[in-house]
Structures are given as C-alpha cells and as structure tokens.
Amino acid sequence: MKRKLPNITSKIPPVVAMAAILLLWELVSISGLVPSYMLPSPVAVCKALIGDLPTILFHAKFTLLESFYGLLIGIALAFIFATVMDRFRVMDQAFYPIMIITQTIPTIAIAPILVLWMGFGMAPKITLVVITTFFPITIGLLDGYKSVDPDAIRLMKAMGASRMQIFRHVKFPSALPQFFSGLKISASYAVVGAVVSEWLGGFNGLGVYMTRVKKAYAFDKMFAVIIFIVIISLLLLFIVNVASRIAMPWLQVEKEKNHE
C-alpha cells in the first residue's frame, strides 16, 4: 500500500493540470472571446471525434503503418551507425557532424523534395519518419556505448573475452537506458513526421484528412484529429515504457529497493 500511494499521488498533478486546461478552453469557447469556428469547444471536438471516428481510423491505419515501418528502419540504421561509429573513431569523426547538419534542416522543407523524388505513395512518408527518428536513437546508443565502465571492459579482456562478447555482455546492456530514452523521443516524432509528409501530398492518412477538413473549415474535426494523434503518441510512449521494463528488469528491481 505504501508503494502504491506515491504512484497515485504523482498522477494527481498532471490530471489536475489537464482538467484545468480543458475547463479554461471550455470557458473561452462559451464566453465568445474566440469565435467557435476558430476555437471549437472541447464538447464539440469530442462529438466530432466520435462522429468521424470510422473515417479517422481508416486514415490512421496508413499513418500508423508509415510510422511503424519508418521507426523500425530508423532503429535498425541507428543501431548499425552507432555501433560502427563506436568501433571506428574515424567513422565517428566523419559522420557525427553530418548527422548534426541533418537535424538543422526543417522537416517541412525536406518533405516536398521527398514527394518530388518518390511520388505520392508511402515511400516519402517512411523516409521522412526514418530521418526524423534516426538521430535521437543513434545519439542515445552512441552515448551509451561511450559511458560503459572501462574497468568492466578491462575485466572482460583479462578473462579472454572477444570483442563480440564484450559488446554483447557489457556495452549493449549498458547502452539500453540511453537507447530507450532516444526511442521515447523518436516514437513521439514518428507519427508527427508521417503526418507532416502527408500534408504535402498523398491519398490517405491523417495528414491528408487534416488537409481536407481544413479546406472545409471544419475546425472541430481538425482539433479531433489532433487529439487523436496525441492519444496515438501517448500509446506509443506507453509501449516503449513497457518494452524498456521487459528489456531492463534490473532497473525495476533497483527502483523497488530504493523505495523500500
């Protein structure tokens, strides 16, 4: 019971803050300070979300596929690049500045070029998601590799361990916390990257749907899609948190010991 009480009390402030924001939003909408067609009330947004849910779910299927494929490819590329850059110092020196430069270019500027090169299918959307998600995971893994205790590596070498064994038993497990920290950022960016690319061309997806309702001045539906995207992003973060607990059970044990 003592362990559950801090968990319950820690959830009270964000719930209260969210309720206060919704209440303020509703009061502003009712008071008429902002026209309803510009800022629909939370009740109108909920009605639009429920009423258009089948259409939103249809478009969400394409956006989620683009996000999922892009995130998977981004994780694979990040693992390869971070491992190679950690193994060969010259690769780290060569590619690290290039990765930094790629993050200074706005995604809204890259998306039209990708659509021009790859067409209006899923390819440019997936590519933009890969570009968006690649950097945080790569940097997280790379920092994790570099933060490994040198004494642990020297001990493994003294025991006759190979490079692969050192990587498997010391480096990679030590880098997992940083990896999942980067993955949390990338998971939240994945859906946003897919939606941004859909704004600029495509036939299906939440970004395409948002463009259509915006042109129809149906801002209640526009806000409904935004809320839906937020819910998806929160679900992805929850999945990443669950995966991190499964992959790193020792951290959970340490937290429980600290609470005792």
Side-chain angles (χ1 to χ4, degrees):
M1 186 66 185
K2 290 181 179 180
R3 291 180 185 176
K4 290 182 179 179
L5 187 59
N7 291 331
I8 295 171
T9 54
S10 65
K11 292 178 175 61
I12 293 176
V15 171
V16 172
M18 186 61 67
I21 291 171
L22 289 174
L23 179 61
L24 180 62
W25 180 3
E26 182 69 27
L27 290 174
V28 170
S29 301
I30 293 173
S31 64
L33 293 173
V34 181
S36 59
Y37 64 87
M38 292 180 62
L39 183 66
S41 68
V43 176
V45 172
C46 289
K47 288 181 180 178
L49 180 60
I50 295 170
D52 256 28
L53 190 58
T55 306
I56 292 173
L57 289 175
F58 171 78
H59 287 284
K61 177 178 64 177
F62 297 93
T63 302
L64 286 174
L65 281 175
E66 294 158 1
S67 305
F68 179 71
Y69 291 145
L71 187 58
L72 278 184
I73 296 170
I75 292 172
L77 289 176
F79 177 78
I80 293 169
F81 269 80
T83 304
V84 171
M85 289 167 69
D86 177 68
R87 175 66 181 83
F88 303 101
R89 182 173 175 78
V90 66
M91 297 295 287
D92 187 11
Q93 295 172 339
F95 283 105
Y96 195 87
I98 296 174
M99 289 196 303
I100 297 294
I101 291 171
T102 61
Q103 298 306 300
T104 62
I105 305 172
T107 54
I108 197 70
I110 301 174
I113 300 173
L114 295 176
V115 171
L116 182 65
W117 288 347
M118 301 179 181
F120 294 98
M122 293 182 68
K125 285 82 170 178
I126 294 172
T127 303
L128 189 65
V129 174
V130 171
I131 294 171
T132 307
T133 59
F134 169 77
F135 182 78
I137 302 173
T138 305
I139 296 304
L141 272 173
L142 198 57
D143 289 345
Y145 291 154
K146 292 179 179 179
S147 65
V148 175
D149 187 0
D151 291 335
I153 295 177
R154 282 193 287 266
L155 177 62
M156 291 290 288
K157 287 181 178 178
M159 296 171 66
S162 63
R163 288 186 182 275
M164 181 57 68
Q165 288 173 326
I166 293 173
F167 175 81
R168 180 183 175 186
H169 296 290
V170 178
K171 281 202 163 187
F172 185 67
S174 299
L176 281 177
Q178 289 90 336
F179 164 74
F180 279 105
S181 296
L183 185 58
K184 288 177 184 178
I185 299 171
S186 295
S188 60
Y189 284 173
V191 179
V192 176
V195 171
V196 168
S197 63
E198 288 168 351
W199 284 346
L200 302 169
F203 306 103
N204 297 298
L206 292 176
V208 175
Y209 177 79
M210 289 177 74
T211 305
R212 292 173 183 171
V213 297
K214 183 185 72 173
K215 290 179 179 178
Y217 295 97
F219 289 105
D220 53 345
K221 296 180 180 180
M222 187 83 169
F223 275 87
V225 180
I226 293 171
I227 298 299
F228 189 81
I229 292 170
V230 170
I231 293 171
I232 291 175
S233 299
L234 291 175
L235 285 174
L236 287 174
L237 288 177
F238 174 75
I239 292 170
V240 172
N241 282 329
V242 172
S244 67
R245 290 174 187 173
I246 295 172
M248 300 180 294
W250 60 89
L251 291 183
Q252 193 66 25
V253 174
E254 290 178 2
K255 287 181 181 179
E256 291 176 359
K257 286 182 179 179
N258 293 331
H259 286 302
E260 288 179 355

